[in-house]
Amino acid sequence: MTIKGILLIIFALFAFFNPGASAATLAMWFALLIIIDGLASTITAIGSWKEREEKWLFLAEGLIGLVFGVILFITPGVTLLIVSLFIGFWFVFVGVSRIAKAIQLRKEIEGEGWMILGGVISVIFGLLIIARPLLGISSLMYLIGFFALLIGILLIVVSLKIRKGKTWLKDKGEKLKTAVDNAQDNIEKTKL
């Protein structure tokens, strides 16, 4: 998730510093972002297949992202309308997927509300683009940049919370193991 967050922030900076980019340039950059995101989700799903309950969501998000990204990458000369709708639908899909993952992970992580917030923001952003696909490319780039930056920051915050939670669980597990070992030793001493 940290890598996805960093990629979204880099994409946001590109959008802020190149608002006059053409629809083809927008499509190429966004296609690369979607392909990298799709690869990361697919690798995450496959790499932790046995441990994850939500493996199908990660795999579906990854594979659909790869397909969308490749299609967008090989057809960069599409019109602004198609690019805008494509991006809007992708944001809605990813947002719904992240909300579903957060709901499934709510027992395993602390701060799942941030992940839900990121998903809701993504859905709202996607719906805004779908509702107004013919915005000027500069306006669209600023809007995309703002939401990419926001979602990128939220993903980084969530990934840091997950790491903190894993460390906390590991510490608690070691303390529990020590307590169990001590209890077993006390039981053994009592038997003697």
Side-chain angles (χ1 to χ4, degrees):
M1 262 195 262
T2 304
I3 293 173
K4 289 179 184 181
I6 291 169
L7 288 172
L8 281 169
I9 290 170
I10 291 169
F11 182 76
L13 293 175
F14 170 78
F16 290 139
F17 293 116
N18 295 303
S22 68
T25 303
L26 172 63
M28 295 293 284
W29 276 97
F30 201 73
L32 288 174
L33 176 69
I34 293 172
I35 289 169
I36 292 169
D37 182 63
L39 282 172
S41 293
T42 302
I43 290 169
T44 299
I46 292 170
S48 57
W49 191 259
K50 293 180 181 177
E51 299 97 38
R52 291 188 175 269
E53 288 181 27
E54 71 283 354
K55 58 190 165 221
W56 291 107
L57 283 173
F58 273 101
L59 188 60
E61 180 181 331
L63 293 176
I64 290 172
L66 281 171
V67 170
F68 279 164
V70 168
I71 290 170
L72 193 55
F73 191 79
I74 60 176
T75 59
V78 294
T79 66
L80 180 57
L81 175 65
I82 293 171
V83 170
S84 297
L85 291 173
F86 195 77
I87 291 170
F89 283 116
W90 184 80
F91 268 103
V92 169
F93 170 76
V94 168
V96 169
S97 175
R98 294 222 169 106
I99 292 167
K101 282 189 266 186
I103 290 170
Q104 282 187 334
L105 292 173
R106 72 181 177 273
K107 294 176 185 172
E108 298 175 29
I109 64 170
E110 198 174 296
E112 74 279 359
W114 288 103
M115 199 169 178
I116 291 172
L117 178 62
V120 169
I121 289 170
S122 184
V123 169
I124 291 169
F125 177 59
L127 292 174
L128 284 173
I129 292 175
I130 292 167
R132 301 284 303 196
L134 295 176
L135 288 173
I137 191 70
S138 295
S139 300
L140 184 61
M141 289 296 283
Y142 282 123
L143 192 60
I144 288 171
F146 172 75
F147 280 101
L149 181 65
L150 188 60
I151 292 168
I153 290 169
L154 288 173
L155 284 176
I156 291 171
V157 167
V158 168
S159 70
L160 293 175
K161 289 212 175 263
I162 289 172
R163 276 198 195 124
K164 184 179 176 184
K166 284 181 182 177
T167 303
W168 180 83
L169 282 175
K170 184 179 177 184
D171 291 344
K172 292 295 182 184
E174 288 173 4
K175 287 179 183 178
L176 181 62
K177 184 180 182 299
T178 302
V180 169
D181 290 343
N182 289 339
Q184 286 176 343
D185 289 343
N186 289 337
I187 291 170
E188 292 296 323
K189 286 179 185 176
T190 314
K191 288 182 180 179
L192 296 177

